[in-house]
Amino acid sequence: LPEMKTQDFNLYRKTQTSGEANSNNEILPTRYTDILESEIPGVTTFFDYEEGMAAAKKMNKPVMIDFTGHACANCRKMEREVLSDPSVTKLLKENFVVISLYVDDRFELPADEWSKDTDGNDITTMGEKNLDFEIRLTRTNAQPQYVFLDLKGNTIENAGGYNRDITRFVRILEKAKAIF
């Protein structure tokens, strides 16, 4: 059999360098793009909340936060069964800034970004930071979790987690877009 690394071929992989503007004047992510890649086919994804919110403000678009994990089987199923649907992809690409926050990533944050969670525990990794943010925002730590925000960081809609109903997700996207 071929080596496992050859099984990672992605038809949707961007050929554009991070930080460049594409033909739609869309702002592209730069932070963590050297270690992370979008799991949502054809959709530009930010991996840092602050960077994604800044881009959303510049593009005047609402945000979809995708709380996900490297080891999350239901996240991969949702991406494959729902988020890769052409109607969902089109709405996400045209109307939202997507921020995927990995709650299990072990990338160590620079010391000046370390903090404490609500229990006083040290937050030193990207995953700990993202999980703490998810708990503060949604009061849950389930993945996947899809939350729509306005430009001030207020929740527009919490779509919850894994649900393979494409029509339901499209309705949620349309509702979040209309409320924004």
Side-chain angles (χ1 to χ4, degrees):
L1 294 173
E3 293 178 68
M4 280 303 293
K5 67 181 178 183
T6 66
Q7 302 300 310
D8 292 334
F9 181 72
N10 182 347
L11 289 172
Y12 303 102
R13 182 168 290 149
K14 288 184 266 180
T15 57
Q16 194 164 22
T17 305
S18 297
E20 295 178 1
N22 64 16
S23 60
N24 298 329
N25 289 326
E26 175 184 43
I27 298 168
L28 298 177
T30 57
R31 197 139 197 233
Y32 306 124
T33 56
D34 56 330
I35 59 172
L36 297 172
E37 176 177 306
S38 178
E39 299 281 354
I40 304 172
V43 176
T44 299
T45 305
F46 289 82
F47 305 106
D48 178 76
Y49 175 74
E50 289 80 14
E51 182 184 36
M53 287 300 291
K57 289 174 185 173
K58 287 180 182 175
M59 292 187 284
N60 196 35
K61 291 183 177 182
V63 170
M64 182 185 89
I65 297 186
D66 163 28
F67 288 104
T68 188
H70 296 292
C72 177
N74 282 340
C75 299
R76 300 299 86 80
K77 285 178 70 173
M78 186 72 174
E79 291 151 4
R80 208 172 38 249
E81 296 172 5
V82 178
L83 300 181
S84 63
D85 181 84
S87 59
V88 172
T89 301
K90 183 178 185 328
L91 282 164
L92 287 173
K93 285 173 72 170
E94 294 176 1
N95 301 288
F96 295 90
V97 169
V98 178
I99 305 172
S100 290
L101 299 178
Y102 286 82
V103 300
D104 61 353
D105 197 282
R106 295 178 189 213
F107 175 80
E108 188 167 328
L109 297 168
D112 64 338
E113 293 183 32
W114 291 3
S115 61
K116 301 262 185 202
D117 65 15
T118 53
D119 295 327
N121 300 313
D122 291 331
I123 294 176
T124 60
T125 67
M126 180 193 312
E128 293 167 340
K129 177 182 175 183
N130 293 337
L131 181 60
D132 183 62
F133 177 59
E134 179 185 16
I135 292 168
R136 290 172 192 255
L137 183 66
T138 68
R139 300 199 186 334
T140 185
N141 65 351
Q143 292 84 47
Q145 186 80 223
Y146 305 98
V147 182
F148 296 87
L149 304 178
D150 65 18
L151 299 179
K152 293 181 181 176
N154 300 314
T155 301
I156 296 172
E157 181 77 22
N158 185 337
Y162 175 76
N163 184 324
R164 58 191 288 184
D165 184 348
I166 294 168
T167 305
R168 172 191 170 271
F169 203 81
V170 167
R171 275 195 309 266
I172 291 168
L173 289 169
E174 293 286 358
K175 180 180 175 186
K177 182 177 86 164
I179 290 172
F180 179 76

